[in-house]
Amino acid sequence: MDYSIETTPLEELQCDCVIVGVYQDQQLSPSATVLNACTQGLIKNIVNRGDLSGKNGETALINFIPDSKIESILLVGLGENKPLSGKNYKKALVAAVNSLKKPQIKSVVCCLAECDVENRDRQWKSRHIIEVFSDAVYQFTHTKSDKETESKIEKIAIAATETERALAYAGLVQGKAVAEGTDLTKYLGDLPGNICTPTYLAEQAIELGKKYPSLTVKVLEEADMAALGMGAFLSVSRGSRQPAKLISLDYQCGEKNAKPIVLIGKGLTFDAGGISLKPAAGMEEMKYDMCGGATVLGVLLAAAQMQLPLNIIGLIPSSENMPDGDANKPGDIVTSMSGKTIEIINTDAEGRLLLCDALTYAEHYNPDVVIDIATLTGAVGVALGRITVGLLGNDDALCNDLLAAGEIANDSAWRLPLWEEYQEQLKSSFADMTNSGGRDAGTITAACFLGRFAEKFRWAHLDIAATAWRSGQIKGATGRPVSLLSQYLIGRAHSGS
Ligand code: BES
Ligand code: MN
Ligand code: ZN
């Protein structure tokens, strides 16, 4: 996709489609007013005829414009004529791009950066247009014979005046980086488990390191992990024919002595549940259990592309979770790298077994903060639905920063309590803890488990089990929360700390 800023006046523009906004009560946006004037009142006619009421998210495509170099105009309803909320702005953009999945539309000029959005500037709007458009045109065709995609859009230009150009361009650069990171995360999530193995994920990380010299990639093998004493992590991979990998990505563009931000992503390339086997229905979707890891790759891609002046470490513990003669059995007790012992009462609670050793390993880096991202519990969907990411952590300031970043990015998170009282549920008669707290508050007890390995630093946990994937008709990876985390990093780079 080619993204650019377009400063040519609308009267002289040549393209397949121009997107302009219309507010309720037949009120035209500035660009719609200009286009209306140079098309002998065409837009007013359509709106007055009642073809578009101006409700947010409504669209009308005018696909014949007499005597014009513009082939078509897409009118998008924006709602009331006042500053839009960030959410409504996104809704209008999604509606716009979804109505442009037509064979004849290849080049698009979007005039929606002129709309006022509450507390947001042009840079944000420009970034958001790119993120939303890129997300909507993404289609996974890698394993299909027919590579045709519904959208034929090749070029997206954001309309701006000369004075707006610099801010709009800054947003474009960010938007492109985040969109590319999100695309990578979605692509890896959509790949099947027989292609996207731990080895494949490691190769992808190595490729990323070749593309961005600021990223140094290292892959720890099972023998290295055994030497480090990662007994919890290795107990999961023992049941799989695929060798486990601990992928580390080192991005050092901050001050030499600045403590790094560590991102840890769960990389289960297939989670069958192990001996505590999952039911057959829907099990094919468990290929997306590596989306936390894929998010780490996506976010580091975005950070490297934006050249953020930060030090960031990405860690991706990657394995399969399979039933096997050598797999973990319920009742087995393993010793984690921290020395703490764990009674595995449910082999399907495997993510935390990988993550606990990765958290202990993160201590090596003397981190400023550690954020883990994991498709950890089905329970997060019960608590919060598929709308928002579950957030838990041991540091209020870090959690608030992540909540704020999610708000700005339109990629929200919501915090759940991590109180002492919940720790009770992890009591074991035979080891220091069990690996499952049972049904009640499953997302919280999973985080309680992780928290026991994150006592030495500021830490937050994002449970993305319900938001990283879309089920139903158009199923696939969503790329969340690449945008939230990219925004967090942009904020950190900005504050210089
Ligand atoms: N990968 C799953 C969590 C999951 C569930 C992700 C649904 C995506 C969709 C995780 O490994 C798991 O199986 N968790 C168990 C924990 C339980 C055994 C304590 C769960 O959520 O049932
Ligand atoms: Mn599981
Ligand atoms: Zn899992």
Side-chain angles (χ1 to χ4, degrees):
M1 187 72 69
D2 180 59
Y3 299 103
S4 59
I5 304 296
E6 182 61 81
T7 53
T8 311
L10 280 175
E11 298 87 336
E12 297 159 29
L13 207 61
Q14 184 169 8
C15 67
D16 294 338
C17 184
V18 178
I19 305 170
V20 294
V22 175
Y23 293 97
Q24 269 169 22
D25 306 320
Q26 287 131 27
Q27 299 180 64
L28 304 190
S29 62
S31 298
T33 308
V34 173
L35 276 184
N36 185 56
C38 54
T39 55
Q40 289 85 46
L42 183 64
I43 296 181
K44 265 277 170 211
N45 280 336
I46 300 242
V47 172
N48 289 344
R49 212 168 63 183
D51 286 347
L52 188 92
S53 73
K55 220 179 89 198
N56 187 287
E58 232 187 329
T59 60
L61 184 67
I62 314 172
N63 53 16
F64 178 68
I65 319 292
D67 309 319
S68 174
K69 286 183 281 183
I70 296 171
E71 297 294 329
S72 65
I73 296 174
L74 182 73
L75 305 178
V76 185
L78 299 173
E80 269 183 79
N81 191 354
K82 62 171 197 196
L84 276 78
S85 67
K87 278 186 188 168
N88 277 341
Y89 189 65
K90 179 173 181 178
K91 213 172 125 193
L93 292 175
V94 170
V97 63
N98 282 337
S99 37
L100 293 182
K101 293 180 174 169
K102 308 257 189 290
Q104 71 277 23
I105 298 177
K106 299 192 178 70
S107 63
V108 176
V109 175
C110 177
C111 300
L112 298 179
E114 67 183 5
C115 320
D116 286 326
V117 180
E118 287 168 353
N119 304 320
R120 302 284 179 257
D121 62 6
R122 253 188 197 264
Q123 178 170 345
W124 180 90
K125 287 184 278 187
S126 162
R127 166 181 162 189
H128 220 61
I129 290 171
I130 291 177
E131 280 192 42
V132 172
F133 274 57
S134 164
D135 185 56
V137 303
Y138 169 91
Q139 213 175 317
F140 183 83
T141 55
H142 186 76
T143 40
K144 289 197 171 196
S145 312
D146 182 359
K147 309 281 184 205
E148 284 269 310
T149 54
E150 277 181 59
S151 165
K152 300 284 185 272
I153 302 175
E154 289 162 7
K155 277 184 174 173
I156 295 167
I158 297 169
T161 63
E162 273 305 335
T163 48
E164 295 155 356
R165 182 194 275 274
L167 262 190
Y169 187 73
L172 176 140
V173 171
Q174 289 180 343
K176 266 175 74 164
V178 178
E180 208 177 301
T182 304
D183 265 10
L184 174 64
T185 303
K186 286 160 80 171
Y187 172 72
L188 293 172
D190 286 341
L191 279 176
N194 62 330
I195 295 177
C196 185
T197 59
T199 303
Y200 182 90
L201 266 189
E203 284 164 3
Q204 291 297 301
I206 291 165
E207 285 307 308
L208 208 59
K210 284 187 191 150
K211 200 161 159 214
Y212 297 97
S214 55
L215 282 176
T216 311
V217 179
K218 226 174 62 190
V219 180
L220 299 195
E221 305 295 334
E222 288 185 352
D224 305 317
M225 295 186 254
L228 287 163
M230 294 187 167
F233 181 170
L234 289 172
S235 77
V236 175
S237 76
R238 239 189 18 242
S240 160
R241 308 269 171 101
Q242 293 291 336
K245 306 278 171 179
L246 176 56
I247 305 161
S248 78
L249 302 101
D250 193 335
Y251 173 80
Q252 295 285 334
C253 284
E255 283 183 25
K256 205 163 170 286
N257 297 321
K259 289 176 161 189
I261 296 165
V262 177
L263 303 176
I264 302 179
K266 173 177 172 183
L268 257 292
T269 58
F270 190 74
D271 179 12
I275 297 299
S276 315
L277 194 63
K278 285 184 182 295
M283 205 210 270
E284 76 282 1
E285 294 191 349
M286 276 305 119
K287 65 178 183 177
Y288 86 86
D289 211 16
M290 33 51 71
C291 278
T295 295
V296 170
L297 293 179
V299 171
L300 279 165
L301 182 158
Q305 200 172 110
M306 290 186 278
Q307 298 179 302
L308 295 180
L310 297 169
N311 296 334
I312 312 170
I313 302 292
L315 292 176
I316 307 169
S318 183
S319 166
E320 287 183 332
N321 185 26
M322 301 289 277
D324 180 85
D326 202 27
N328 276 328
K329 302 174 292 297
D332 282 3
I333 294 175
V334 297
T335 304
S336 65
M337 183 179 170
S338 71
K340 294 185 172 107
T341 58
I342 304 160
E343 183 191 4
I344 300 172
I345 58 173
N346 190 324
T347 68
D348 198 10
E350 84 298 337
R352 61 198 80 181
L353 297 173
L354 270 65
L355 292 169
C356 71
D357 280 342
L359 283 164
T360 303
Y361 185 70
E363 288 173 14
H364 283 326
Y365 294 98
N366 186 25
D368 175 48
V369 298
V370 176
I371 303 166
D372 79 74
I373 308 104
T375 46
L376 205 62
T377 64
V380 75
V382 178
L384 299 171
R386 303 192 159 269
I387 311 296
T388 192
V389 172
L391 163 69
L392 302 102
N394 63 14
D395 186 81
D396 290 344
L398 171 60
C399 287
N400 288 338
D401 284 353
L402 290 168
L403 290 173
E407 194 70 28
I408 294 175
N410 262 333
D411 183 8
S412 74
W414 194 256
R415 193 171 176 188
L416 297 172
L418 194 65
W419 294 327
E420 199 52 43
E421 292 90 317
Y422 292 100
Q423 295 283 355
E424 284 288 306
Q425 287 173 243
L426 295 175
K427 269 203 176 139
S428 162
S429 308
F430 305 104
D432 298 344
M433 68 195 89
T434 62
N435 75 328
S436 163
R439 253 175 58 94
D440 287 1
T443 303
I444 297 174
T445 54
C448 283
F449 180 98
L450 296 180
R452 295 179 181 211
F453 300 86
E455 283 167 350
K456 298 199 177 134
F457 39 71
R458 305 201 288 146
W459 157 78
H461 159 65
L462 295 168
D463 193 329
I464 60 167
T467 46
W469 187 259
R470 211 176 276 120
S471 297
Q473 276 261 299
I474 345 169
K475 56 166 71 179
T478 63
R480 291 181 70 180
V482 171
S483 185
L484 180 163
L485 287 168
S486 301
Q487 178 59 45
Y488 170 74
L489 295 178
I490 290 169
R492 288 290 307 258
H494 214 71
S495 71
S497 63

